[in-house]
Amino acid sequence: MPTTNNASILIVEDEEPKLNAIRAFLIDEFPAFEFRVAKSLTSAISELTHHSFSFCLIDMSIPSYDFEVDKSGGGQPQAEGGTDILRFMESECPELKAAVLTQYNEFATLDGSVLSIEDLRENLTKEFSDNLLAVIYYSGQKASWRSELKTLMEGQLID
């Protein structure tokens, strides 16, 4: 399968089992691609500032700072952390395309209301129409996220 030379993917994910599944997927489906990992909002912004990427996979709920073993910190996952990354991309990386890969069906908002994944998809797609290509539901039990993400990435990154 022909691929874009030097394609680099940023994975923004803090949960190890999900991160491992995403890594395995990328290695299986796109072995020529390189990828980097950011486990918090701060590290994602640092990666986006200091490196060039071909595509970005973003979890919606990530901590503000990286968690360090044997140290307090990292903060609680922020329900809208992925939105903050999309806002940064819109401002600083307007050419970079992304997909949100989330394992939640519902999302608490800052005003206390709850959004379904369909509502989130609609809201984010409208707000970030230049960067965001899809909001994909991740399930460790089902493979549908893999086929959806593979189709999306092939359309975006394959010559």
Side-chain angles (χ1 to χ4, degrees):
M1 161 178 6
T3 60
T4 301
N5 290 335
N6 302 322
S8 181
I9 313 299
L10 175 62
I11 305 167
V12 182
E13 177 59 58
D14 64 315
E15 187 181 307
E16 285 299 321
K18 184 178 167 192
L19 177 58
N20 291 337
I22 294 167
R23 282 180 178 146
F25 161 79
L26 289 173
I27 290 167
D28 287 347
E29 298 295 336
F30 304 99
F33 291 3
E34 296 179 14
F35 60 89
R36 296 180 66 92
V37 174
K39 294 186 176 186
S40 70
L41 173 61
T42 303
S43 61
I45 289 173
S46 178
E47 288 288 335
L48 290 166
T49 301
H50 296 101
H51 302 281
S52 178
F53 294 97
S54 307
F55 195 75
C56 187
L57 293 173
I58 304 170
D59 184 24
M60 279 304 294
S61 180
I62 58 168
S64 299
Y65 299 95
D66 287 354
F67 174 78
E68 293 184 41
V69 176
D70 298 329
K71 291 185 178 182
S72 62
Q76 296 298 313
Q78 304 300 310
E80 296 187 12
T83 305
D84 292 336
I85 293 168
L86 288 165
R87 284 192 184 107
F88 180 84
M89 285 175 53
E90 182 179 56
S91 170
E92 303 300 320
C93 315
E95 306 290 318
L96 182 58
K97 302 301 182 193
V100 167
L101 189 59
T102 183
Q103 61 189 358
Y104 296 109
N105 285 319
E106 294 183 333
F107 302 86
T109 62
L110 295 176
D111 68 7
S113 62
V114 176
L115 288 177
S116 69
I117 192 170
E118 292 82 12
D119 292 335
L120 178 77
R121 183 178 289 123
E122 182 179 333
N123 292 351
L124 290 178
T125 302
K126 282 181 187 174
E127 185 174 353
F128 303 106
S129 60
D130 290 339
N131 297 95
L132 184 64
L133 300 177
V135 175
I136 300 170
Y137 177 70
Y138 169 88
S139 170
Q141 314 305 318
K142 299 179 182 176
S144 58
W145 69 270
R146 288 179 182 91
S147 59
E148 191 174 347
L149 187 56
K150 180 180 178 184
T151 300
L152 179 69
M153 289 179 67
E154 284 176 342
Q156 192 64 35
L157 301 170
I158 304 298
D159 289 331

